[in-house]
Amino acid sequence: MTARPLTPPPLQGPTAKEKKYDRQLRLWAANGQQALEDAHVLLINHGGPGVVGVETLKNLILPGIGSYTIVDGNIVAQQDLGINFFLTDESLGRSRAEETCRYLTELNPDVNGYPVQQSLHGFLQNGLHVLNKYNLVLFVASKQNYLSLESISVYCAKKALPLFYVHSLGLFSLFSSQLPDPFPIVDTHPDPTSTQDLRLLEPWPELLAFAKSKTDILDTLSNHDHGHVPYLLLLLRYLDDWKESHDGNPPLEYRQKKEFKSFVEGKARTDNPEGGEENFDEAAAAILKSLNKPSLPSGLRQIFEDPNTKEPQKDSANFWIVANAIQKFHHTHGSLPLPGALPDMKAQSQDYIQLQNIYKAKARKDVDEVIKSVRSMEADLQRQTPVDAKEIEAFCKGASFVKLIKGRPLPISNPHTKIPQEALNSILNDEDSLLPIFVAFQAYDYWCHQQFTAAQEEDPSHSTSEENPTLESLKHSATRLIDQHADEIMPKIEPILQEFVRADGAELHNISALTGGMVAQEVIKVLTKQYIPIDNTCVFDGIASKSAVFRV
């Protein structure tokens, strides 16, 4: 009987979701996408056109945010149609929250949108606990009372709820983030060229054995084989030769490394058809950045010194449990767990694969030791839910680049606000500084507060103003912020204040669209806990097309 040929099973193609979100999955992977889909973002449009908030949501809906809620008590007016691209003529006289939500949801049917046609006062009338159901709050303001923002800021800080304040006015915009304190980020996506940790000065037995097997007969190899010895093994071989003539010490100083580089380059064969060897060029090029003793990055040192790492509790976040375990690993070995990644290099396939396996095995061994430490700690603390092994492995691989942001309150303009002297010095000493934009927005917000103070004594629900500031009134507010430096700094601030007066409280769609994209990018970083978000204020100058980030 003739045997029938076996038909191979069909290959599993990408799912519909993977096809839809292919590009962004390459940026933040499946776990980042899941975090995005699990999130519920609250947008509070508190007075003004609120276009910048809508544009922010647009850039969150397209990549697949799970849900969003818009709180906006305004009715669509004629002026909204010229700047809000998610409204039509049919929207006139209708709820702005409902109409905007309806058109936004058309962008991505997988996203849930919920309109709330209420003023901020009405939305919060039962208490700030209504914010608890959301993962992040976007507060978009125009003419607002700082007390509303301040109460939300205080509550969000207490509940470790990320908060963004966004303001777009004329040709300028500003946004600030208030992150939980602390806000750790493991997956910071560093430059791949900076993540190589080869441990050439601290090789382990398996690596040394492989290097010895490949380099002991180096002089007898053919030109082809000699030109394909992995450069890591070449460096290990010639480091031994160097140590023999330098009292067992490796080349650590710059002058020594230059001398060692010349020594390695001199070992390359030049009597071959190529007139040199690429693997020796790779070895020489790697000396300056690869021959360094392990050191503790400043960011990780900050984490190790944090009380949350030193004394984790039963209810501590997983981050602190793993940080404690890695701290113990570092204390024991004097180095961090090996990431296990190798750069590309000139080598024969079988040699490179074997070298990869040696590094991966060492990395796996280090991770297992950290996992064992975590499990021991979990038992001691009687924690019910164990930390996922993949989470521990990710921390081990990226330990050198973990970032801890110490969240700080929003820079809210109030009667006690003064611009820090350091910021004033920056304005005075740097002609191109964009800090005057920040000062101008602070002056505008304080002017708004002054307008509401008297009105709220009569009506606590009064939270917006129909009045527009004059240049003199804004300059008066700015003078209060910059105090004795007013004469020197006011000329830099006045053109911005003039634009605020000209704008008459309005937004320009192109400025708000660009700003909304910037804010959405930072929101995604916070929700996915990937990449490093700004800390903590960004301003944009639409006239010069420049932006800057400040910690204020």
Side-chain angles (χ1 to χ4, degrees), residues 412-486:
I412 301 172
S413 183
N414 60 51
H416 309 291
T417 300
K418 293 289 184 184
I419 302 300
Q421 185 61 46
E422 182 181 355
L424 295 177
N425 291 339
S426 176
I427 296 174
L428 291 169
N429 298 326
D430 183 1
E431 286 294 326
D432 297 323
S433 174
L434 297 187
L435 265 171
I437 299 175
F438 170 74
V439 177
F441 272 106
Q442 290 276 294
Y444 187 91
D445 286 349
Y446 180 67
W447 175 87
C448 292
H449 160 70
Q450 290 178 309
Q451 300 304 303
F452 299 128
T453 301
Q456 283 204 325
E457 292 179 358
E458 300 178 6
D459 180 8
S461 66
H462 188 91
S463 60
T464 59
S465 173
E466 299 301 324
E467 299 293 329
N468 289 308
T470 64
L471 179 59
E472 289 306 314
S473 63
L474 290 181
K475 288 174 65 176
H476 178 76
S477 297
T479 300
R480 185 194 62 82
L481 294 170
I482 57 182
D483 207 12
Q484 71 269 24
H485 296 286

Coordinates of all heavy atoms in Angstrom, one line a residue, residues 412-486:
I412 N -0.6 74.3 40.2 CA -1.8 75.1 40.1 C -1.6 76.5 40.6 O -1.0 76.8 41.7 CB -2.9 74.4 41.0 CG1 -3.1 73.0 40.6 CG2 -4.2 75.2 41.0 CD1 -4.0 72.2 41.5
S413 N -2.1 77.5 39.8 CA -1.9 78.9 40.2 C -3.0 79.2 41.2 O -4.2 79.1 41.0 CB -2.1 79.8 39.0 OG -1.9 81.1 39.3
N414 N -2.5 79.7 42.4 CA -3.4 80.1 43.5 C -2.9 81.4 44.1 O -1.8 81.8 43.8 CB -3.6 79.0 44.5 CG -2.3 78.6 45.1 OD1 -1.6 79.4 45.6 ND2 -2.0 77.2 45.1
P415 N -3.6 81.9 45.1 CA -3.1 83.2 45.7 C -1.8 83.1 46.3 O -1.1 84.2 46.6 CB -4.2 83.5 46.8 CG -5.4 82.8 46.2 CD -4.9 81.6 45.6
H416 N -1.3 81.9 46.6 CA 0.0 81.8 47.3 C 1.2 81.4 46.3 O 2.3 81.3 46.7 CB 0.0 80.7 48.4 CG -1.2 80.9 49.3 ND1 -1.3 82.0 50.2 CD2 -2.3 80.2 49.5 CE1 -2.4 81.9 50.9 NE2 -3.1 80.9 50.4
T417 N 0.8 81.3 45.0 CA 1.8 80.8 44.0 C 2.9 81.9 43.7 O 2.6 83.1 43.6 CB 1.1 80.5 42.7 OG1 0.2 79.4 42.9 CG2 2.2 80.0 41.7
K418 N 4.1 81.5 43.7 CA 5.3 82.3 43.3 C 6.1 81.4 42.3 O 6.3 80.2 42.6 CB 6.1 82.7 44.4 CG 5.4 83.7 45.4 CD 5.3 85.1 44.7 CE 4.7 86.1 45.7 NZ 4.4 87.4 45.1
I419 N 6.5 81.9 41.2 CA 7.4 81.2 40.3 C 8.7 81.0 41.0 O 9.4 81.9 41.5 CB 7.6 81.9 39.0 CG1 6.3 82.2 38.3 CG2 8.5 81.1 38.1 CD1 5.5 81.0 38.0
P420 N 9.2 79.7 41.1 CA 10.5 79.4 41.8 C 11.7 80.2 41.2 O 11.7 80.5 40.0 CB 10.7 77.9 41.5 CG 9.3 77.4 41.2 CD 8.6 78.5 40.5
Q421 N 12.6 80.6 42.1 CA 13.7 81.4 41.7 C 14.5 80.7 40.6 O 15.1 81.4 39.7 CB 14.6 81.7 42.9 CG 15.8 82.6 42.6 CD 15.3 84.0 42.1 OE1 14.4 84.6 42.7 NE2 15.9 84.5 41.1
E422 N 14.6 79.4 40.6 CA 15.4 78.7 39.6 C 14.8 78.9 38.2 O 15.5 79.0 37.3 CB 15.4 77.2 40.0 CG 16.2 76.3 39.0 CD 16.2 74.9 39.4 OE1 15.6 74.5 40.5 OE2 16.8 74.0 38.7
A423 N 13.5 78.9 38.2 CA 12.8 79.1 36.9 C 13.0 80.5 36.4 O 13.2 80.8 35.2 CB 11.3 78.8 37.0
L424 N 12.9 81.5 37.3 CA 13.2 82.9 37.0 C 14.6 83.1 36.4 O 14.8 83.8 35.5 CB 12.9 83.8 38.2 CG 11.5 83.8 38.7 CD1 11.4 84.7 39.9 CD2 10.5 84.3 37.6
N425 N 15.5 82.4 37.1 CA 16.9 82.5 36.6 C 17.1 81.9 35.2 O 17.8 82.5 34.4 CB 17.9 81.8 37.6 CG 18.0 82.5 38.9 OD1 17.7 83.7 39.0 ND2 18.4 81.7 39.9
S426 N 16.4 80.9 34.9 CA 16.4 80.3 33.6 C 15.9 81.2 32.6 O 16.4 81.4 31.5 CB 15.6 79.0 33.6 OG 15.6 78.4 32.3
I427 N 14.8 81.9 32.9 CA 14.2 82.9 31.9 C 15.2 84.1 31.7 O 15.4 84.5 30.6 CB 12.9 83.5 32.5 CG1 11.9 82.3 32.6 CG2 12.4 84.6 31.6 CD1 10.6 82.7 33.2
L428 N 15.9 84.5 32.8 CA 16.8 85.6 32.7 C 18.0 85.3 31.9 O 18.6 86.1 31.2 CB 17.2 86.1 34.1 CG 16.0 86.8 34.9 CD1 16.5 87.0 36.4 CD2 15.6 88.1 34.3
N429 N 18.5 84.0 32.0 CA 19.8 83.6 31.5 C 19.7 83.0 30.1 O 20.7 82.8 29.4 CB 20.5 82.7 32.4 CG 20.8 83.4 33.8 OD1 21.1 84.6 33.8 ND2 20.8 82.6 34.8
D430 N 18.5 82.6 29.7 CA 18.3 81.9 28.4 C 17.3 82.6 27.6 O 16.1 82.6 27.9 CB 17.8 80.4 28.7 CG 17.7 79.6 27.4 OD1 18.0 80.2 26.4 OD2 17.3 78.4 27.5
E431 N 17.8 83.2 26.5 CA 16.9 84.0 25.7 C 15.9 83.1 25.0 O 14.8 83.6 24.6 CB 17.7 84.7 24.6 CG 18.5 85.9 25.1 CD 17.6 87.1 25.6 OE1 16.5 87.2 25.0 OE2 17.9 87.8 26.5
D432 N 16.2 81.9 24.8 CA 15.3 81.0 24.1 C 14.4 80.2 25.0 O 13.7 79.3 24.5 CB 16.1 80.0 23.2 CG 16.9 80.8 22.1 OD1 16.3 81.8 21.6 OD2 18.0 80.3 21.8
S433 N 14.4 80.4 26.3 CA 13.6 79.6 27.2 C 12.1 79.8 26.9 O 11.7 80.9 26.6 CB 13.9 80.1 28.7 OG 13.1 79.4 29.6
L434 N 11.4 78.7 27.0 CA 10.0 78.7 26.9 C 9.2 78.8 28.2 O 8.0 78.7 28.2 CB 9.5 77.5 26.1 CG 10.0 77.3 24.7 CD1 9.3 76.1 24.0 CD2 9.8 78.6 23.9
L435 N 9.9 79.0 29.3 CA 9.3 79.1 30.6 C 8.3 80.3 30.6 O 7.4 80.3 31.4 CB 10.4 79.2 31.7 CG 10.7 77.9 32.4 CD1 11.9 78.1 33.3 CD2 9.6 77.4 33.2
P436 N 8.6 81.4 29.9 CA 7.6 82.5 29.9 C 6.2 82.0 29.6 O 5.2 82.6 30.0 CB 8.1 83.5 28.9 CG 9.6 83.3 29.0 CD 9.8 81.8 29.2
I437 N 6.1 81.0 28.7 CA 4.7 80.4 28.4 C 4.1 79.9 29.6 O 2.9 80.1 29.9 CB 4.8 79.4 27.3 CG1 5.5 80.0 26.0 CG2 3.5 78.8 27.0 CD1 5.7 78.9 24.9
F438 N 4.8 79.2 30.4 CA 4.3 78.6 31.7 C 3.9 79.7 32.6 O 2.8 79.7 33.2 CB 5.4 77.7 32.4 CG 5.0 77.3 33.8 CD1 4.0 76.3 34.0 CD2 5.6 77.9 34.8 CE1 3.7 76.0 35.3 CE2 5.3 77.5 36.1 CZ 4.3 76.6 36.4
V439 N 4.7 80.8 32.7 CA 4.3 81.9 33.6 C 3.1 82.6 33.1 O 2.2 82.9 33.9 CB 5.5 82.9 33.7 CG1 5.1 84.1 34.5 CG2 6.8 82.2 34.3
A440 N 2.9 82.7 31.8 CA 1.8 83.4 31.2 C 0.5 82.6 31.5 O -0.6 83.1 31.9 CB 1.9 83.5 29.7
F441 N 0.6 81.2 31.4 CA -0.6 80.4 31.7 C -1.0 80.5 33.2 O -2.1 80.5 33.6 CB -0.4 79.0 31.3 CG -0.8 78.7 29.9 CD1 0.2 78.5 28.9 CD2 -2.1 78.6 29.5 CE1 -0.2 78.2 27.6 CE2 -2.5 78.3 28.2 CZ -1.5 78.1 27.3
Q442 N 0.1 80.6 34.0 CA -0.2 80.7 35.5 C -0.9 82.0 35.8 O -1.8 82.1 36.6 CB 1.2 80.6 36.2 CG 1.8 79.3 36.3 CD 1.2 78.4 37.4 OE1 1.4 78.7 38.6 NE2 0.5 77.3 37.0
A443 N -0.4 83.1 35.1 CA -1.1 84.4 35.3 C -2.5 84.4 34.8 O -3.4 84.9 35.4 CB -0.3 85.5 34.5
Y444 N -2.8 83.7 33.7 CA -4.1 83.6 33.1 C -5.0 82.9 34.1 O -6.2 83.3 34.4 CB -4.1 82.9 31.8 CG -5.4 82.9 31.1 CD1 -5.8 83.9 30.2 CD2 -6.4 81.9 31.3 CE1 -7.0 83.9 29.5 CE2 -7.6 81.9 30.6 CZ -7.9 82.9 29.7 OH -9.1 82.9 29.1
D445 N -4.5 81.7 34.6 CA -5.3 80.9 35.6 C -5.6 81.7 36.9 O -6.7 81.6 37.4 CB -4.6 79.6 35.9 CG -4.7 78.6 34.8 OD1 -5.4 78.9 33.8 OD2 -3.9 77.6 34.9
Y446 N -4.6 82.5 37.3 CA -4.9 83.3 38.5 C -5.9 84.4 38.3 O -6.7 84.7 39.1 CB -3.6 83.9 39.0 CG -3.7 84.7 40.3 CD1 -4.1 84.1 41.5 CD2 -3.6 86.1 40.3 CE1 -4.3 84.8 42.6 CE2 -3.8 86.8 41.4 CZ -4.1 86.2 42.6 OH -4.4 86.9 43.7
W447 N -5.9 85.0 37.1 CA -6.9 86.0 36.8 C -8.3 85.4 36.8 O -9.2 86.0 37.3 CB -6.6 86.6 35.4 CG -7.7 87.5 35.0 CD1 -7.8 88.8 35.2 CD2 -8.8 87.2 34.2 NE1 -8.9 89.4 34.7 CE2 -9.6 88.4 34.0 CE3 -9.3 86.0 33.6 CZ2 -10.8 88.4 33.3 CZ3 -10.5 86.0 32.9 CH2 -11.3 87.2 32.8
C448 N -8.4 84.2 36.3 CA -9.7 83.5 36.3 C -10.1 83.3 37.8 O -11.3 83.5 38.1 CB -9.6 82.1 35.6 SG -9.3 82.2 33.8
H449 N -9.2 82.8 38.6 CA -9.5 82.6 40.0 C -10.1 83.9 40.7 O -11.1 83.9 41.4 CB -8.3 82.1 40.8 CG -8.5 82.3 42.3 ND1 -9.3 81.6 43.1 CD2 -7.9 83.2 43.1 CE1 -9.3 82.0 44.3 NE2 -8.4 83.0 44.4
Q450 N -9.5 85.0 40.3 CA -9.9 86.3 40.9 C -11.4 86.6 40.5 O -12.1 87.1 41.3 CB -9.0 87.4 40.5 CG -7.6 87.4 41.1 CD -6.7 88.5 40.6 OE1 -6.6 88.7 39.4 NE2 -6.1 89.2 41.5
Q451 N -11.7 86.2 39.3 CA -13.1 86.5 38.8 C -14.1 85.7 39.5 O -15.3 86.1 39.6 CB -13.1 86.2 37.3 CG -12.2 87.0 36.4 CD -12.4 88.5 36.6 OE1 -13.5 89.0 36.3 NE2 -11.3 89.2 37.0
F452 N -13.7 84.5 40.0 CA -14.7 83.6 40.6 C -14.8 83.9 42.1 O -15.8 83.5 42.7 CB -14.3 82.2 40.3 CG -14.3 81.8 38.9 CD1 -13.2 81.2 38.4 CD2 -15.3 82.1 38.1 CE1 -13.1 80.9 37.0 CE2 -15.3 81.8 36.7 CZ -14.2 81.2 36.2
T453 N -13.8 84.4 42.7 CA -13.8 84.5 44.2 C -15.1 85.2 44.7 O -15.8 84.6 45.6 CB -12.6 85.3 44.6 OG1 -11.4 84.7 44.2 CG2 -12.6 85.4 46.2
A454 N -15.5 86.3 44.2 CA -16.6 87.0 44.7 C -17.9 86.3 44.3 O -18.8 86.2 45.1 CB -16.7 88.5 44.1
A455 N -18.0 85.8 43.0 CA -19.2 85.2 42.5 C -19.5 83.9 43.3 O -20.7 83.6 43.6 CB -19.0 84.8 41.1
Q456 N -18.5 83.1 43.7 CA -18.8 81.9 44.4 C -19.3 82.1 45.8 O -19.9 81.2 46.4 CB -17.5 81.0 44.4 CG -17.3 80.3 43.1 CD -16.4 79.0 43.2 OE1 -15.6 79.0 44.1 NE2 -16.7 78.0 42.4
E457 N -19.0 83.2 46.4 CA -19.6 83.5 47.7 C -21.1 83.5 47.7 O -21.8 83.2 48.6 CB -19.0 84.8 48.2 CG -17.6 84.8 48.6 CD -17.0 86.1 49.0 OE1 -17.8 87.1 49.1 OE2 -15.8 86.2 49.4
E458 N -21.6 83.9 46.5 CA -23.1 84.0 46.4 C -23.7 82.7 45.8 O -24.7 82.2 46.1 CB -23.5 85.2 45.4 CG -23.0 86.5 46.0 CD -23.4 87.6 45.0 OE1 -24.1 87.4 44.0 OE2 -23.0 88.8 45.3
D459 N -22.9 82.1 44.9 CA -23.4 80.9 44.2 C -22.3 79.8 44.1 O -21.4 80.0 43.2 CB -23.9 81.2 42.8 CG -24.5 80.0 42.0 OD1 -24.5 78.9 42.7 OD2 -24.8 80.1 40.9
P460 N -22.2 78.8 45.0 CA -21.1 77.8 44.9 C -21.0 77.1 43.6 O -20.0 76.5 43.3 CB -21.5 76.9 46.1 CG -22.4 77.7 47.0 CD -23.1 78.6 46.1
S461 N -22.1 77.0 42.8 CA -22.0 76.3 41.6 C -21.4 77.1 40.5 O -21.2 76.6 39.4 CB -23.4 75.9 41.1 OG -24.2 77.0 40.8
H462 N -21.1 78.4 40.7 CA -20.5 79.3 39.7 C -19.1 78.8 39.5 O -18.2 78.9 40.4 CB -20.6 80.7 40.2 CG -20.1 81.7 39.2 ND1 -21.0 82.3 38.3 CD2 -18.9 82.2 38.9 CE1 -20.4 83.1 37.5 NE2 -19.1 83.0 37.8
S463 N -18.8 78.3 38.3 CA -17.5 77.8 38.0 C -16.8 78.2 36.7 O -15.7 77.8 36.4 CB -17.5 76.2 38.1 OG -18.4 75.7 37.1
T464 N -17.6 79.0 36.0 CA -17.0 79.5 34.7 C -17.3 81.0 34.6 O -18.2 81.5 35.3 CB -17.5 78.8 33.5 OG1 -18.9 78.9 33.4 CG2 -17.2 77.3 33.5
S465 N -16.6 81.7 33.7 CA -16.8 83.1 33.6 C -17.0 83.5 32.1 O -16.4 82.9 31.2 CB -15.6 83.9 34.1 OG -15.6 85.2 33.8
E466 N -17.8 84.5 31.9 CA -18.0 85.0 30.5 C -17.1 86.2 30.2 O -17.0 86.6 29.1 CB -19.5 85.4 30.3 CG -20.5 84.2 30.5 CD -20.2 83.1 29.5 OE1 -19.8 83.4 28.3 OE2 -20.4 81.9 29.9
E467 N -16.5 86.6 31.3 CA -15.6 87.8 31.1 C -14.3 87.4 30.5 O -13.8 86.3 30.6 CB -15.3 88.4 32.5 CG -16.5 88.9 33.2 CD -17.2 90.1 32.5 OE1 -16.4 90.9 31.9 OE2 -18.4 90.3 32.6
N468 N -13.7 88.3 29.8 CA -12.4 88.1 29.1 C -11.4 89.1 29.7 O -11.7 90.3 30.0 CB -12.4 88.3 27.6 CG -13.2 87.2 27.0 OD1 -12.9 86.0 27.2 ND2 -14.2 87.5 26.2
P469 N -10.1 88.7 29.9 CA -9.2 89.6 30.6 C -8.6 90.6 29.6 O -8.7 90.4 28.4 CB -8.0 88.6 31.0 CG -8.1 87.5 29.9 CD -9.6 87.4 29.6
T470 N -8.1 91.7 30.2 CA -7.4 92.7 29.4 C -5.9 92.4 29.6 O -5.5 91.7 30.4 CB -7.7 94.1 29.9 OG1 -7.3 94.2 31.2 CG2 -9.2 94.4 29.8
L471 N -5.1 93.0 28.7 CA -3.7 92.9 28.8 C -3.2 93.4 30.2 O -2.3 92.7 30.8 CB -3.0 93.6 27.7 CG -1.5 93.6 27.7 CD1 -1.0 92.1 27.6 CD2 -0.9 94.4 26.5
E472 N -3.7 94.5 30.6 CA -3.3 95.1 31.9 C -3.6 94.2 33.0 O -2.8 94.0 34.0 CB -3.9 96.5 32.1 CG -3.3 97.5 31.2 CD -1.8 97.6 31.3 OE1 -1.3 97.6 32.4 OE2 -1.1 97.7 30.2
S473 N -4.8 93.5 33.0 CA -5.2 92.7 34.1 C -4.3 91.4 34.1 O -3.9 90.9 35.2 CB -6.6 92.2 34.0 OG -6.9 91.5 32.8
L474 N -3.9 90.9 33.0 CA -3.0 89.7 32.9 C -1.6 90.1 33.4 O -0.9 89.3 34.1 CB -3.0 89.1 31.6 CG -4.3 88.4 31.1 CD1 -4.1 87.8 29.7 CD2 -4.7 87.3 32.1
K475 N -1.2 91.3 33.0 CA 0.2 91.7 33.4 C 0.2 91.9 34.9 O 1.2 91.6 35.6 CB 0.5 93.0 32.7 CG 0.9 92.8 31.2 CD 1.1 94.2 30.5 CE 2.3 94.9 31.0 NZ 2.5 96.2 30.3
H476 N -0.9 92.4 35.5 CA -0.9 92.5 36.9 C -0.8 91.2 37.6 O -0.1 91.0 38.6 CB -2.3 93.2 37.3 CG -2.4 93.4 38.8 ND1 -1.8 94.3 39.5 CD2 -3.2 92.7 39.7 CE1 -2.1 94.2 40.8 NE2 -3.0 93.2 40.9
S477 N -1.5 90.2 37.1 CA -1.4 88.8 37.6 C 0.0 88.2 37.5 O 0.5 87.6 38.4 CB -2.4 87.9 37.0 OG -3.8 88.3 37.2
A478 N 0.6 88.5 36.3 CA 2.0 88.0 36.1 C 3.0 88.6 37.0 O 3.9 88.0 37.5 CB 2.3 88.2 34.7
T479 N 2.8 89.9 37.3 CA 3.7 90.7 38.2 C 3.7 90.0 39.6 O 4.7 90.0 40.2 CB 3.3 92.1 38.3 OG1 3.4 92.7 36.9 CG2 4.2 92.9 39.2
R480 N 2.5 89.6 40.0 CA 2.4 89.0 41.3 C 3.2 87.7 41.4 O 3.8 87.4 42.4 CB 1.0 88.7 41.6 CG 0.7 88.1 43.0 CD -0.7 87.6 43.2 NE -0.9 86.4 42.2 CZ -0.5 85.2 42.5 NH1 0.2 84.9 43.6 NH2 -0.6 84.3 41.6
L481 N 3.3 87.0 40.2 CA 4.0 85.7 40.2 C 5.5 85.9 40.2 O 6.3 85.1 40.8 CB 3.6 84.9 39.0 CG 2.1 84.4 38.9 CD1 1.8 83.9 37.6 CD2 1.9 83.4 40.0
I482 N 6.0 86.9 39.4 CA 7.5 87.0 39.2 C 8.1 88.1 40.1 O 9.3 88.3 40.1 CB 7.8 87.3 37.8 CG1 7.0 88.6 37.3 CG2 7.4 86.1 36.9 CD1 7.2 88.9 35.8
D483 N 7.2 88.8 40.9 CA 7.7 89.7 42.0 C 8.8 90.7 41.5 O 8.6 91.4 40.6 CB 8.2 88.8 43.1 CG 8.0 89.5 44.5 OD1 7.3 90.6 44.5 OD2 8.5 89.1 45.4
Q484 N 9.9 90.6 42.2 CA 10.9 91.7 42.0 C 11.6 91.6 40.6 O 12.3 92.5 40.2 CB 12.0 91.6 43.1 CG 12.9 90.4 43.0 CD 12.4 89.2 43.8 OE1 11.2 89.1 44.0 NE2 13.3 88.4 44.2
H485 N 11.4 90.5 39.8 CA 12.0 90.4 38.5 C 11.1 90.9 37.4 O 11.4 90.7 36.2 CB 12.4 89.0 38.2 CG 13.5 88.5 39.2 ND1 14.8 88.8 39.1 CD2 13.4 87.6 40.2 CE1 15.5 88.2 40.0 NE2 14.7 87.5 40.8
A486 N 10.0 91.5 37.8 CA 8.9 91.9 36.8 C 9.5 92.7 35.6 O 9.2 92.5 34.5 CB 7.8 92.6 37.5

